[in-house]
Amino acid sequence: MPIVAGAGVLAVVIFAGISGHGGATSVNTVQTTTAGAVTTSAVITAAPIVVNTDPAIVKTNLTHSVAKGNAGDDVKQVQQRLTDLGFSPGPVDGLFGSGTQQAVWAYEKLVLKTPRAQATGRVTNEMWQGMQDQITIPPRRPTQPGSTHVEIYVPEQVLIVFKDNIPELIAHISTGVQNPDGTPKKWCEILTEDTDANGEPLPEPIQRDECADAKTPGGVFRFTRRYEGKRVGPLGGMMNPVYFNYGIAIHGADNVPLEPASHGCVRMNQKLAVVFPGMVKKGDLVYVWGQDGKQPEQYSKADSLPSFNYANPDATTSTSTTTTTIAPTTVPAPPTTVKSTTTTPSATSTTTTTVPGVTTSTSALLID
């Protein structure tokens, strides 16, 4: 067994060297604890973002700082550079709109390491000088050549689509609302359902007073299903949602603020949501780094579950407008051990909606 384990680690090191396109990588040991059991696994940590400040690069200057509402050639230069790096601002048209602002936010948070609350969305001439350097953004989890995977960094509120370990799309996102300490914030709302979990119309609408935590769990998942166009659920509308963790999806939204603002889903700009589904396919890996600082592989199956809806314990009156009911279901108890792997797929069932001991309705599958 020790010989086999050693060979496995060696294979990981060799793979990292091949798939990292020559960049330096390292193998760290992480421990995953579930119900008292500790599993040790090797985690590939890619090289950090590299900025080559080659003095031979001929740079231009901005005539003035640019921000939302500005227009002109300076804006067009910034948009083109953001596009070249993968930070899709939308059309390179010289108009600094919300798409360009969000692309600048993503650049500030990812490359400049600006805390998300301090991102300005403004490009100064000093910032522009650094933006013109040769910038390499490697994946934190290199995958096999030719494959596509997505990395979601909840602390930075940034998502990256990697194809062949090269960023194709880098986007500012907004995930589940957080308390000041970074934990998911509890929400309670009166929800109106007119369709079931599969989108089929109900005989009559149902209102429920329900609560849950605005949780965007960390972990390793795979894309499971998708819908074209606007998907309307009890918690609001989602444009072109692509699901990877029960009711948690990456989807377009009108409101993608600088801070986390969703019920648990991953919101992105509506224009990006038009092209994103075509970049990924069912089964592609999704790595999520949670707000608590853990690596994706460190989350147990139970930790990676969303927060499923439950009846508001403080509700004083019934909110149902009809006697129609939806039978609750439960998921099996999570295992007491965690398999040591970086490719654990998420559950794909669309009928299991609760954790053991918690009763909920199928509305839990529809998250915004």
Side-chain angles (χ1 to χ4, degrees), residues 273-341:
V274 174
V275 298
F276 172 77
M279 293 182 169
V280 298
K281 63 183 183 299
K282 183 177 180 180
D284 283 345
L285 282 164
V286 182
Y287 294 91
V288 182
W289 279 257
Q291 184 61 35
D292 55 11
K294 290 182 180 179
Q295 299 293 320
E297 298 84 1
Q298 289 181 286
Y299 293 91
S300 68
K301 182 176 177 63
D303 291 337
S304 292
L305 289 173
S307 175
F308 297 105
N309 300 5
Y310 58 90
N312 186 352
D314 298 325
T316 56
T317 59
S318 173
T319 58
S320 296
T321 59
T322 175
T323 56
T324 303
T325 59
I326 300 176
T329 57
T330 59
V331 297
T336 57
T337 59
V338 176
K339 184 178 180 180
S340 174
T341 178

Side-chain angles (χ1 to χ4, degrees), residues 68 82 87 96 98-112 114-116 118-123 127 156-158 171-173 256-259:
K68 188 176 181 181
L82 288 168
F87 295 87
F96 201 125
S98 60
T100 303
Q101 180 188 51
Q102 291 175 19
V104 174
W105 282 346
Y107 177 85
E108 290 181 272
K109 294 180 294 182
L110 188 67
V111 178
L112 303 183
T114 303
R116 67 179 183 230
Q118 298 176 22
T120 65
R122 175 181 294 274
V123 180
M127 180 175 166
E156 294 91 344
Q157 295 287 279
V158 171
H172 161 75
I173 57 173
V256 191
L258 189 56
E259 69 278 356

Side-chain angles (χ1 to χ4, degrees), residues 14-94:
I14 294 173
F15 168 72
I18 296 174
S19 63
H21 299 287
T25 59
S26 63
V27 177
N28 295 335
T29 299
V30 298
Q31 291 186 328
T32 302
T33 304
T34 305
V38 177
T39 302
T40 301
S41 59
V43 175
I44 300 173
T45 302
I49 295 172
V50 177
V51 179
N52 182 6
T53 56
D54 187 347
I57 297 176
V58 178
K59 298 182 178 182
T60 63
N61 291 289
L62 298 181
T63 58
H64 59 86
S65 297
V66 293
K68 188 176 181 181
N70 292 147
D73 291 340
D74 284 349
V75 173
K76 196 170 184 178
Q77 284 189 84
V78 170
Q79 290 175 326
Q80 185 60 61
R81 183 56 180 154
L82 288 168
T83 300
D84 294 342
L85 292 172
F87 295 87
S88 300
V92 181
D93 55 8

Side-chain angles (χ1 to χ4, degrees), residues 177 184-187 211-216 263-264 306-310:
V177 181
K185 188 174 182 178
K186 176 182 175 180
W187 59 264
C211 302
D213 293 331
K215 178 184 179 185
T216 306
H263 290 85
S307 175
F308 297 105
N309 300 5
Y310 58 90

Side-chain angles (χ1 to χ4, degrees), residues 193-204 227 231-232 326 362 366:
E193 302 174 51
D194 57 9
T195 61
D196 63 18
N198 297 316
E200 297 298 326
L202 295 172
E204 294 183 44
Y227 291 90
R231 172 74 162 162
V232 179
I326 300 176
T362 51
L366 302 177

